[in-house]
Amino acid sequence: MRNIRFFAVFSFFILLACKKEAPDTNLTLWYSSPAKQWEEALPLGNGRLGAMVEGGISRDNITLSEISLWSGSEEDTSNPEALKYLPEIRNLLQEGQNLKAQELMYKYFKCKGDGSGLGNGANDPYGCFQYLGNLYIDYNYPVSEKSDTIANGYRRSLSLKNAIANSDFELDKVTYSREYFVSHTNDVIIIRITSSKAQALNFNVSLDRQERANLLCENDMLYMGGQLNNGTDGFGMKYLVQTKVISNDGKITSNSTAIHVKDATSALIFVSAATDYKKTNYMNDVNDIIDKAQELTYEELKENHIKNYQEKFNRVSVDLGEGDYSIPTDERLKQFQTKDDPSMAALYFQFGRYLMISGTRENSLPLNLQGLWANTIQTAWNGDYHLNINIQMNYWPVEVANLSELALPLVEFTKELVPSGEKTAKSFYNADGWVAHVITNPWKFTAPAERASWGATNTGGAWLCSHLWEHYAFTKDVEYLAEIYPVLKGASEFFLSNMIKEKKHGWLVTAPSSSPENSFKLPGTDEPVYVCMGSTMDMQIIRELFMNTLEASTILSEGDDNFLAKIKETLPLLAPMQVSEKGGYLQEWLEDYEETDPRHRHVSHLYGLHPGNLITDTKTPELMEACRKTLERRGDEGTGWSRAWKINFWARLKDGNRAYKLFRNLLKPTTEKQIAMDTGGGTYPNLFCVHPPFQIDGNLGGCAGIAEMLIQSHDGYIDILPAIPDNWKTGSFNGLKARGGVEVDAYWKNHKVTKVVLRSPEDQEIRLKVNNKMQTIIMEGGKDKVLSEVE
Ligand code: FUC
């Protein structure tokens, strides 16, 4: 850990010295009307508390969330039937009887209980991430007509530079202004409301929640508290929201459900909230937070907030060209489909970083399917942690975007899954080590889910381990590596003790498993079959896990010789990647089955291309071509996250124009809210990614994709501008990170890199590819290495 902290401080000072700021104009989302639906509201957060600002004129709705607010509870998911049927399932798979194996799995090889409730588990023990409630500000204006229709000059905005939202307008010659932020330093939501005319403000503040909410108003302080369903006796997680309004000149009164503000020129609203997740003292905390916040002036609170946020945000700037910032963001989004606007990618990239800083912080839970933001009791797919792409995609940008310490919530979460994963390994497979399947939650669910078609893939935990490794690869923090080594080892032990030898080639494979959520047809039948042995993705993840575990043990000089010898023996026996003889694409399964849906949204078998690094130009050029063919077959559409993944794939294939085409597809404007699985992906007016519905993975996957177009370092060297499109002709970036802990600035003109600045925390030799030329650079720790007029 020490190294990270040192490097964070070190980079901060360096950045202060040499940062070239991107134009602030491209760091603002703005709109000329209030949000008409939640998907237009502007997200704010401090990594724990979230707020979505609608900015309404007569009623302003701010939807609140808290990252740990989950229904459900820990449950026993062990199902003894599963282990009894495991040998038969495996035999059927060996005989090519996958459909029969699948039928048995549907019946027996699943968790005890209802699992995720098919994605609607709010009242099951699995539970779901829920919104906290709504904060309403209802205004009374001294105008006879409807204020919403006669207001002038309305503007609602979100500054990514300051993490502050504003809404302003004029009504009857009075300007009303609201400023909103969620302070990390003071851990509180703050709204300041002002009017240009003295004592023109009259409004009521109230709270509500669709269920399980009690209101209380005492000493002009409004409270909302309740207890969610734990899925068993009904008494689950407790929460409390507390609201206080202060004003210099206004009169504040209250009744049992609302705070009333009369004749004020300005007022401050504080909202504090907490849950009892891992905390007993949460009520006192909520109260103390408001007390402490009140001791500071608004200017002090705002300054604290901006400073805290910018310490992270200002580490990186990106300039990809000018855009037309004078048009509202929703219009700009629409125009982007037909009009060239290279600055859109820089905005989207920084919006991703903004969401990460606002959505999760050290000592918080990781970003879930909704990040931190929700507006329902039953969030889509329980707003949980899906381990077959989604939560991992959330974390793809964290290292390269210079927010390394924000990976730690995922690291901690993974560590905490281990005890539950050990039980699952024993009870379902009688295996060593630990395993997690496809879905998990703060209650540490690791069992196979209720439906084998999607819930039986058992490399979810191993995929998380790749993130644990990447954090090391970017930071070189050996102390950290020692902390996470047992997690990697335990995950490896599971596969060492649980793979079987498939009959045809004698390869070691997972069984039973699936290739995330895709199905195939067995010869002579049209029935979709999901269950298989050794899907390509499984085998890539396991190979990578074994290699990382071995490397970690070498670095730490740690090892149980038998265990390491077993990994070394096993590596060459793992089923290899195969290229289809009939189509030249990378095979998704051991057999070259016909897919039920060749355009399926998951492209799991390309894990080795991205986020993995088994398939690269230097290691496996022939597989690069197979990946290209695979992507052509899959097409350029799909759900939001699927489009985002494809940006990353094409960037790794070094095809900048195609990556950019996928970026454009990701930004397809839509307001669709119904769940759709095949296509319909795009972007809401507030730039939230649309699965549909909203799912934050696409935002962060898209952010990572843009980074992959600018810099790559997964193949043993740093590649500057590996995949930029024709229209990012001239530009720069500052502060992106490469593996090895190197921080990089680059400047280019007419597609040619003109200058690179490298900073390394320690002495090291690196390989660098610039303008297609490879060179070796000797870095001195703490010193800038400037390469100007690079060839
Ligand atoms: C995976 C995906 C779905 C969706 C869900 C939350 O199961 O296949 O498209 O993103 O996670």
Side-chain angles (χ1 to χ4, degrees):
M1 286 302 147
R2 219 174 335 106
N3 286 350
I4 308 177
R5 277 191 214 113
F6 160 74
F7 192 52
V9 173
F10 159 80
S11 14
F12 180 59
F13 286 115
I14 296 262
L15 282 167
L16 284 180
C18 59
K19 185 141 303 296
K20 173 184 162 268
E21 300 289 342
D24 280 11
T25 30
N26 197 31
L27 291 174
T28 306
L29 274 56
W30 80 272
Y31 305 83
S32 55
S33 59
K36 289 175 282 307
Q37 55 179 348
W38 184 78
E39 290 76 6
E40 292 174 34
L42 296 170
L44 295 171
N46 67 357
R48 185 181 77 80
L49 288 173
M52 292 285 289
V53 176
E54 290 187 3
I57 293 172
S58 54
R59 162 169 273 201
D60 195 358
N61 178 13
I62 294 107
T63 314
L64 310 172
S65 51
E66 208 276 359
I67 201 149
S68 66
L69 190 67
W70 266 76
S71 61
S73 50
E74 263 175 55
E75 61 178 320
D76 176 13
T77 51
S78 315
N79 166 16
E81 291 293 293
L83 186 56
K84 268 197 245 156
Y85 283 91
L86 183 61
E88 197 176 335
I89 292 167
R90 284 181 167 163
N91 283 340
L92 286 167
L93 290 173
Q94 291 280 25
E95 299 309 321
Q97 306 250 38
N98 299 51
L99 194 54
K100 285 203 175 132
Q102 179 166 294
E103 278 158 17
L104 276 187
M105 289 189 72
Y106 280 172
K107 277 199 198 141
Y108 306 111
F109 206 86
K110 56 183 181 179
C111 55
K112 179 165 126 193
D114 290 336
S116 73
L118 295 175
N120 291 300
N123 294 312
D124 291 321
Y126 187 84
C128 96
F129 174 61
Q130 310 196 344
Y131 85 129
L132 181 61
N134 289 308
L135 175 86
Y136 296 117
I137 310 171
D138 289 294
Y139 291 89
N140 292 311
Y141 299 105
V143 285
S144 47
E145 288 129 297
K146 245 186 140 259
S147 49
D148 297 57
T149 48
I150 59 165
N152 288 321
Y154 183 92
R155 184 184 157 103
R156 181 170 58 101
S157 62
L158 172 66
S159 156
L160 306 183
K161 183 85 191 154
N162 297 329
I164 290 182
N166 289 87
S167 65
D168 308 279
F169 54 91
E170 196 195 279
L171 194 63
D172 203 16
K173 303 206 183 72
V174 181
T175 303
Y176 295 90
S177 307
R178 299 89 163 252
E179 187 154 85
Y180 322 70
F181 59 89
V182 187
S183 163
H184 181 75
T185 321
N186 293 91
D187 206 10
V188 68
I189 300 172
I190 298 171
I191 303 165
R192 191 191 58 165
I193 308 170
T194 53
S195 60
S196 62
K197 185 177 154 198
Q199 302 197 301
L201 285 174
N202 289 284
F203 62 87
N204 299 332
V205 177
S206 59
L207 289 166
D208 87 351
R209 186 174 199 274
Q210 238 173 61
E211 61 169 45
R212 293 175 180 261
N214 299 308
L215 287 176
L216 172 76
C217 207
E218 225 175 50
N219 301 328
D220 296 335
M221 196 102 82
L222 186 58
Y223 300 86
M224 180 170 75
Q227 186 162 25
L228 308 197
N229 192 352
N230 59 357
T232 54
D233 61 9
F235 299 106
M237 187 178 291
K238 294 182 189 149
Y239 71 89
L240 180 68
V241 187
Q242 186 174 341
T243 305
K244 163 118 192 172
V245 186
I246 57 176
S247 166
N248 283 341
D249 55 352
K251 187 158 175 258
I252 296 180
T253 56
S254 58
N255 64 12
S256 58
T257 55
I259 301 171
H260 313 292
V261 179
K262 213 170 164 328
D263 301 333
T265 313
S266 75
L268 265 189
I269 305 178
F270 295 105
V271 185
S272 165
T275 74
D276 71 346
Y277 178 70
K278 293 189 180 174
K279 260 194 219 157
T280 43
N281 237 356
Y282 73 105
M283 286 193 172
N284 287 343
D285 290 355
V286 170
N287 205 49
D288 288 353
I289 284 169
I290 297 235
D291 283 351
K292 290 217 178 89
Q294 278 182 89
E295 287 167 12
L296 301 178
T297 64
Y298 179 69
E299 281 64 35
E300 285 167 337
L301 290 162
K302 185 169 160 182
E303 200 185 310
N304 284 348
H305 161 68
I306 293 177
K307 201 165 147 212
N308 176 286
Y309 169 78
Q310 288 190 346
E311 186 279 316
K312 296 190 194 305
F313 187 77
N314 286 355
R315 293 175 198 170
V316 175
S317 65
V318 176
D319 182 359
L320 301 175
E322 287 296 304
D324 185 355
Y325 314 125
S326 68
I327 50 172
T329 307
D330 43 350
E331 288 304 314
R332 198 169 151 207
L333 183 67
K334 282 184 203 150
Q335 288 190 11
F336 183 63
Q337 290 303 304
T338 49
K339 201 180 143 197
D340 201 21
D341 180 357
S343 67
M344 210 50 189
L347 175 68
Y348 197 85
F349 174 76
Q350 290 291 32
F351 185 57
R353 294 185 69 244
Y354 167 81
L355 291 175
M356 189 136 234
I357 303 170
S358 310
T360 184
R361 286 289 183 104
E362 301 94 308
N363 304 318
S364 193
L365 277 165
L367 296 160
N368 59 46
L369 288 174
Q370 310 242 162
L372 159 68
W373 298 277
N375 65 333
T376 53
I377 298 285
Q378 178 61 67
T379 38
W381 290 286
N382 299 317
D384 72 1
Y385 298 101
H386 264 60
L387 303 179
N388 64 1
I389 178 73
N390 314 93
I391 188 178
Q392 289 92 347
M393 185 179 280
N394 284 354
Y395 283 85
W396 286 351
V398 74
E399 302 289 348
V400 64
N402 209 334
L403 296 171
S404 189
E405 71 279 18
L406 298 186
L408 297 176
L410 184 66
V411 172
E412 288 310 310
F413 187 77
T414 306
K415 281 189 199 160
E416 287 180 13
L417 285 181
V418 171
S420 156
E422 285 173 347
K423 265 193 224 151
T424 297
K426 263 282 161 288
S427 73
F428 284 85
Y429 303 92
N430 193 25
D432 301 336
W434 74 279
V435 62
H437 292 77
V438 175
I439 51 169
T440 189
N441 56 14
W443 315 118
K444 325 280 182 299
F445 188 99
T446 51
E450 65 271 26
R451 191 96 182 130
S453 56
W454 52 271
T457 315
N458 61 21
T459 37
W463 191 338
L464 287 175
C465 286
S466 77
H467 283 257
L468 269 52
W469 173 260
E470 285 291 280
H471 185 66
Y472 169 75
F474 275 87
T475 60
K476 296 281 162 198
D477 183 341
V478 177
E479 250 175 70
Y480 158 83
L481 188 65
E483 276 172 34
I484 56 121
Y485 178 69
V487 183
L488 264 51
K489 185 175 179 216
S492 300
E493 279 166 341
F494 172 76
F495 295 103
L496 288 176
S497 66
N498 194 49
M499 284 186 293
I500 64 167
K501 202 181 234 190
E502 57 81 43
K503 277 199 333 203
K504 201 160 156 190
H505 311 88
W507 293 329
L508 285 178
V509 292
T510 48
S513 193
S514 60
S515 183
E517 307 184 25
N518 205 4
S519 59
F520 52 88
K521 297 178 191 170
L522 288 171
T525 135
D526 272 345
E527 187 90 12
V529 184
Y530 296 84
V531 172
C532 68
M533 298 189 285
S535 64
T536 301
M537 182 195 84
D538 275 1
M539 303 320 298
Q540 292 168 337
I541 291 178
I542 295 167
R543 187 178 297 275
E544 209 180 77
L545 171 71
F546 284 178
M547 285 161 49
N548 293 342
T549 309
L550 271 184
E551 200 176 332
S553 79
T554 311
I555 296 162
L556 296 168
S557 319
E558 170 154 353
D560 153 357
D561 291 343
N562 285 338
F563 164 73
L564 298 175
K566 193 146 181 230
I567 290 199
K568 283 183 197 152
E569 268 164 35
T570 309
L571 264 169
L573 305 177
L574 297 177
M577 294 184 265
Q578 302 178 75
V579 176
S580 158
E581 276 177 23
K582 62 178 191 237
Y585 50 81
L586 197 69
Q587 273 180 217
E588 184 159 359
W589 296 277
L590 275 187
E591 301 291 330
D592 194 2
Y593 297 124
E594 186 191 339
E595 306 102 322
T596 318
D597 175 10
R599 307 223 140 204
H600 198 271
R601 62 193 180 284
H602 286 265
V603 200
S604 312
H605 43 320
L606 262 50
Y607 173 95
L609 175 67
H610 182 277
N613 66 357
L614 295 172
I615 306 175
T616 70
D617 278 335
T618 59
K619 289 184 210 155
T620 51
E622 70 295 351
L623 293 184
M624 295 289 270
E625 189 44 36
C627 288
R628 190 179 293 277
K629 292 218 167 89
T630 307
L631 285 170
E632 293 293 359
R633 273 167 65 78
R634 277 297 207 259
D636 293 344
E637 303 289 320
T639 55
W641 62 257
S642 175
R643 293 168 192 225
W645 199 356
K646 289 168 190 164
I647 302 174
N648 290 273
F649 286 139
W650 284 109
R652 287 268 170 110
L653 290 174
K654 317 266 161 111
D655 188 336
N657 285 335
R658 189 67 174 263
Y660 194 66
K661 179 180 176 222
L662 264 305
F663 174 65
R664 208 183 275 270
N665 284 1
L666 177 65
L667 262 67
K668 191 171 149 234
T670 168
T671 49
E672 184 55 59
K673 284 187 273 182
Q674 291 306 313
I675 289 184
M677 302 306 286
D678 299 328
T679 184
T683 298
Y684 289 129
N686 65 357
L687 298 192
F688 265 0
C689 183
V690 184
H691 178 290
F694 163 54
Q695 213 168 273
I696 207 164
D697 44 14
N699 281 104
L700 295 158
C703 172
I706 293 161
E708 286 289 333
M709 293 162 81
L710 296 171
I711 185 169
Q712 294 178 12
S713 63
H714 60 285
D715 196 17
Y717 62 94
I718 300 174
D719 197 348
I720 307 289
L721 305 189
I724 57 162
D726 291 344
N727 72 339
W728 294 358
K729 225 171 134 192
T730 295
S732 66
F733 66 76
N734 301 73
L736 293 180
K737 293 290 285 279
R739 287 166 186 80
V742 182
E743 195 171 275
V744 184
D745 305 339
Y747 303 80
W748 67 97
K749 213 171 174 180
N750 297 324
H751 296 117
K752 205 164 171 263
V753 178
T754 52
K755 183 174 159 188
V756 178
V757 183
L758 304 165
R759 292 175 286 279
S760 165
E762 57 194 22
D763 292 358
Q764 62 176 317
E765 192 179 295
I766 59 165
R767 289 198 308 141
L768 180 77
K769 193 171 169 193
V770 192
N771 294 333
N772 260 325
K773 219 174 109 198
M774 192 72 90
Q775 45 189 300
T776 300
I777 312 270
I778 314 284
M779 299 282 309
E780 257 184 85
K783 284 206 180 143
D784 277 21
K785 183 90 190 175
V786 182
L787 298 124
S788 36
E789 291 173 34
V790 276
E791 275 305 302

